[in-house]
Amino acid sequence: MKKITSLKKGIMILKRLSEKPYEMSAIELSNDLGINRSTVHRILNHLIEENLIEQNIENKKYRLGYITHKIGKGYVESREYLEID
């Protein structure tokens, strides 16, 4: 079986948080994605440092951070630019 890299696992977490219910605990992410819980925590901490995800203070669950909006906006704007030319 092919080893899944940390980058791939981080992408899996981001993609999962882009789907309903949009907020999940580390345990829920671990169970849902089949990634070791300590690995999920480590990746979540890196993603938080880069503002790609954030933790909801009220329920302690994780959700996409504001940088993901910036990335999405950049994608949309670049597509609009390409279509105008």
Side-chain angles (χ1 to χ4, degrees):
M1 184 173 197
K2 189 175 178 182
K3 183 179 177 186
I4 302 175
T5 65
S6 293
L7 176 60
K8 177 77 172 179
K9 291 173 186 174
I11 292 168
M12 290 168 63
I13 290 170
L14 289 170
K15 288 169 93 173
R16 181 61 188 92
L17 291 174
S18 73
E19 301 170 352
K20 287 184 181 183
Y22 303 116
E23 288 188 342
M24 297 180 78
S25 68
I27 294 169
E28 291 170 326
L29 286 164
S30 174
N31 292 337
D32 194 61
L33 299 173
I35 302 172
N36 180 288
R37 191 166 66 178
S38 63
T39 301
V40 168
H41 277 287
R42 181 175 46 80
I43 293 169
L44 289 171
N45 286 330
H46 289 301
L47 293 172
I48 287 170
E49 287 176 13
E50 297 300 325
N51 296 306
L52 286 162
I53 65 162
E54 59 191 26
Q55 191 172 27
N56 183 328
I57 296 170
E58 294 176 13
N59 62 17
K60 306 296 184 202
K61 292 186 177 188
Y62 298 91
R63 59 187 175 204
L64 294 178
Y66 77 91
I67 292 296
T68 58
H69 173 75
K70 185 176 179 180
I71 292 168
K73 184 178 178 206
Y75 170 78
V76 170
E77 289 177 0
S78 72
R79 300 305 295 178
E80 290 171 356
Y81 174 77
L82 291 174
E83 291 173 11
I84 291 173
D85 289 344

